[in-house]
Structures are given as structure tokens and as C-alpha cells.
């Protein structure tokens, strides 16, 4: 049994919640600057940040970049149908519900114990139209009806690595099946020098989608450090100009690569298939210090 330190409510500061979940030891750490802000960590690795009073607040860099994609996937405020592969603390599903009321969302999170912890300690609005399913991401995606989603967000990590079966062309075939014509897939990727995983994932997406854009810290793109990159893919042209403007204006500015520059960045990497897929590289220990 995991130990659980419950947050104190009312007078006094909230306390850290510690509980064993399927994926490791979870910590929900209160934010000293935001009264109802919480960071979720699994085995010491940050997973999500949620402000229950302000679900539009995105703290992590990669989540802000995914938020830009969400903002631009449809006209402002228009409801969308979204699938989130990987739930964490449901940061992005809450963001969609707040910025696009009446949206319908499906979240697939394999860690059932984590889902229960988040449901209990960080409950979301009852009218948010968020359905959470505890299942493997690819198995859960297979249950999404054909052409149902405007948006598929892929943000799945197990022991800080993206599982191999979520990195292949066959996986993206399932994503395409679930998307409406012109729908958008946004994937959170993590890699470091020599960026072989990132290059392979771009080549894999290019084998299945006509239009791509990559949002990342310039230092990551230069292979100077390990970090996150958001890969956006669709069969319709992407709003690259607005993505570029928003990414550049973030507290930690990012660059957007697309077109020929993105093709050149792959360096001739081959698309990844199920037969050769491997998990993404583990981050160096210094990343979480």
C-alpha cells in the first residue's frame, strides 16, 4: 500500500500528497505562489501542472506549445472533439474545456491508480464533458470511432520514455483513422543529442501526413541539450505564421520549423515501423535536478 498525505483545506497551507500508483511513486506538490496550483511528479519526474482555479494557466513549456496548437485547431471558442493519449493530471483536457466550452473529450491513461488519485485530489468540473478511460494508449485509440476527432494529442511517457509502439507508422495509421479530414495530431517528443529519435519521428509523420511543423527550443534543435519538442501534423496546411509568433513570445521562446527546413533537419532518417520501433531515449539524470 502506498502512503498518502492528504492536503489540508481551509486554514493553513496545502500539503504534499504522496501515493503509490501503477507507474511509480506519485507526488502532488502544492504551489506556494498559486493557492490551488499543483505539480504532479512520478518517481521524481515532473508530469503535469494544474491550477484548479485557472485551468487556462499552462506552466510547463511543452504544455504551452501544445496549448498554442489547441488555440489554433479551430476558430476561437468553437467546441472540438479531442482525444488525449496520456492523461497525467488532465492539464490539457482542462485547458480545452476552459477555452472551448462544450467540447467533447476522451482521455486515455493507462495508469488506473493515477486516474483515481487525480480524480480524488484534483477533480475536474462535472460539466466538462471529459471521459477518462484506463487503457493502453494504442488500444484506447482503436476504440475511437472513425473520423471522430478534430484533435489527437499524444503525450505518453512510461518511466520517462515514450513506448515503442507509439512511435511507428502503424500507430499513426490509427491516429489518421480517428481524425476527421483535416484534423490535427500534436505529439510531445523528448530527445537529446544526436536527436536520432526526433529525426525519425519527423520522418515517420511525414510518411503519413502532408503538412508538418515542429516547435522546440533552439538549443534542443541544435543538439545542445535534452528537451521537449512538439510535432504538429495534418493533411491541411497548418497556421505556421501564428504558431511561430506565439512560440516566439513565450517566456522561454521556441522556434518553429516547417517545409524544406524540416525535411532537411531529418537528415534522411527513415520512417519507423512496428518491426523496428524502440522507446524514446531516457533523459539524463541532470534534467530533473
Amino acid at each position: 500500500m502506498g502512503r498518502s498525505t492528504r492536503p489540508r483545506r481551509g486554514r493553513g497551507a496545502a500539503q504534499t500528497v504522496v501515493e503509490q500508483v501503477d507507474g511509480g511513486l506519485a507526488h502532488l506538490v502544492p504551489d506556494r505562489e498559486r493557492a490551488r496550483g499543483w505539480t504532479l511528479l512520478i518517481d521524481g519526474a515532473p508530469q503535469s501542472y494544474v491550477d484548479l482555479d485557472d485551468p487556462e494557466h499552462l506552466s510547463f513549456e511543452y504544455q504551452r506549445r501544445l496549448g498554442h496548437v489547441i488555440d489554433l485547431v479551430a476558430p476561437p471558442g468553437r467546441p472540438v472533439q479531442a482525444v488525449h493519449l496520456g492523461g497525467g493530471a488532465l492539464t490539457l483536457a482542462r485547458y480545452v474545456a476552459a477555452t472551448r466550452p462544450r467540447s467533447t473529450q476522451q482521455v486515455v491513461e493507462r495508469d488506473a491508480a493515477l486516474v483515481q488519485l487525480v480524480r480524488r485530489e484534483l477533480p475536474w468540473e462535472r460539466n466538462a464533458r471529459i471521459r477518462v478511460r484506463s487503457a493502453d494508449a494504442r488500444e484506447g485509440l482503436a476504440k475511437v470511432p472513425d473520423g471522430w476527432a478534430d484533435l489527437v494529442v499524444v503525450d505518453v511517457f512510461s518511466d520517462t520514455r515514450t513506448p515503442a509502439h507509439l512511435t511507428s507508422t502503424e500507430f499513426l495509421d490509427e491516429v489518421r483513422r480517428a481524425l476527421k479530414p483535416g484534423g490535427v495530431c500534436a505529439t510531445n517528443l523528448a530527445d537529446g543529442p544526436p536527436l536520432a529519435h526526433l529525426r525519425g519521428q519527423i520522418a515517420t509523420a511525414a510518411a503519413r501526413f502532408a503538412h508538418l511543423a515542429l516547435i522546440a527550443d533552439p538549443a534542443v534543435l541544435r543538439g545542445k541539450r535534452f528537451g521537449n519538442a512538439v510535432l504538429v501534423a495534418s493533411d491541411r496546411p497548418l497556421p505556421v505564421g501564428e504558431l511561430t509568433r506565439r512560440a516566439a513570445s513565450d517566456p522561454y521562446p521556441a522556434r518553429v520549423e516547417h517545409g524544406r527546413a524540416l525535411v532537411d533537419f531529418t537528415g534522411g532518417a527513415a520512417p519507423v515501423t512496428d518491426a523496428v520501433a524502440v522507446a524514446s531515449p531516457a533523459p539524463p539524470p541532470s534534467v530533473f535536478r
Side-chain angles (χ1 to χ4, degrees):
M1 294 292 291
R3 64 188 187 278
S4 178
T5 304
R6 302 290 297 230
R8 292 184 299 175
R9 309 192 188 278
R11 293 188 301 172
Q15 296 178 346
T16 297
V17 180
V18 183
E19 189 161 309
Q20 188 70 39
V21 296
D22 298 340
L25 190 63
H27 287 71
L28 289 175
V29 181
D31 188 337
R32 295 180 179 180
E33 297 182 357
R34 287 177 170 259
R36 300 185 73 204
W38 295 86
T39 299
L40 167 67
L41 301 95
I42 305 291
D43 288 340
Q47 301 290 322
S48 302
Y49 178 94
V50 168
D51 186 337
L52 298 178
D53 289 333
D54 183 11
E56 294 186 37
H57 175 73
L58 300 176
S59 179
F60 292 177
E61 293 174 38
Y62 84 87
Q63 290 180 335
R64 289 181 62 85
R65 293 162 190 166
L66 287 168
H68 298 328
V69 177
I70 292 168
D71 290 344
L72 298 173
V73 75
R78 177 183 291 180
V80 297
Q81 296 181 168
V83 176
H84 302 263
L85 303 181
L90 275 68
T91 304
L92 292 170
R94 298 172 200 258
Y95 182 82
V96 171
T99 60
R100 298 182 175 279
R102 302 182 307 283
S103 293
T104 304
Q105 302 183 76
Q106 297 186 40
V107 178
V108 183
E109 169 57 60
R110 183 171 185 170
D111 194 327
L114 176 60
V115 171
Q116 291 306 311
L117 172 64
V118 171
R119 191 186 298 274
R120 185 185 73 234
E121 302 293 347
L122 307 177
W124 51 92
E125 296 292 334
R126 292 183 179 180
N127 62 352
R129 298 187 182 182
I130 299 173
R131 177 188 178 190
V132 183
R133 175 185 293 124
S134 296
D136 171 80
R138 191 155 160 180
E139 293 175 2
L141 179 63
K143 296 181 180 179
V144 175
D146 293 0
W148 183 85
D150 298 289
L151 173 68
V152 174
V153 177
V154 185
D155 185 16
V156 183
F157 289 86
S158 177
D159 294 328
T160 71
R161 305 176 70 185
T162 301
H165 68 296
L166 305 182
T167 68
S168 66
T169 51
E170 291 89 342
F171 168 67
L172 289 184
D173 287 338
E174 274 296 299
V175 172
R176 283 181 57 90
R177 180 198 59 75
L179 283 171
K180 296 178 181 178
V184 173
C185 175
T187 304
N188 178 31
L189 301 169
D191 199 9
L195 300 178
H197 174 71
L198 182 58
R199 298 180 203 278
Q201 288 304 285
I202 297 167
T204 303
R208 292 297 184 267
F209 290 94
H211 299 276
L212 305 179
L214 185 73
I215 314 171
D217 185 307
V220 173
L221 292 177
R222 291 196 299 268
K224 298 296 185 181
R225 69 174 182 87
F226 193 99
N228 295 84
V230 171
L231 181 60
V232 190
S234 180
D235 281 334
R236 64 176 168 88
L238 296 166
V240 172
E242 185 61 16
L243 277 175
T244 300
R245 186 188 70 78
R246 292 181 180 225
S249 64
D250 277 341
Y252 296 94
R255 197 167 81 208
V256 177
E257 294 287 3
H258 64 100
R260 172 51 57 183
L262 189 56
V263 173
D264 291 343
F265 178 79
T266 65
V272 176
T273 65
D274 277 344
V276 298
V278 296
S280 66
S286 59
V287 169
F288 303 125
R289 290 176 184 169

